[in-house]
Amino acid sequence: MFFELNGHPREVRVTDRAVDAALVRHPKADPDDPDHVAAPMPGKISSVAVKRGRQSKAAIASFL
C-alpha cells in the first residue's frame, strides 16, 4: 500500500491472510535416492577423481 504522510511518500506491505498461497518447490535432489546429490547450481558431474572406498580431503575451489 502506498500513501503520503506529512508530505513524505510511504510504502507498507500488507499480507492478505485470507488468500491461500501455493508454495511451489523445485527439489535439487530426490531424498529417497542415495545416488542423488543436491547442488546449488545446475550442471552435470563429468568425472570423479577418487575411487570408491578411498578417503579424500575436501577441496575448496577459488574463482577469484
Side-chain angles (χ1 to χ4, degrees):
M1 177 167 68
F2 295 99
F3 61 95
E4 189 173 307
L5 178 65
N6 295 332
H8 298 282
R10 304 287 183 183
E11 176 184 349
V12 177
R13 291 184 183 255
V14 179
T15 305
D16 186 358
R17 297 180 195 272
V19 176
D20 228 0
L23 181 62
V24 179
R25 294 185 183 263
H26 300 283
K28 292 180 174 52
D30 183 3
D32 298 326
D33 189 346
D35 291 332
H36 281 193
V37 178
M41 294 176 53
K44 289 188 174 187
I45 298 173
S46 60
S47 68
V48 178
V50 178
K51 293 182 180 179
R52 185 179 294 263
R54 298 199 59 195
Q55 291 187 3
S56 65
K57 295 180 181 179
I60 299 174
S62 175
F63 297 103
L64 298 177

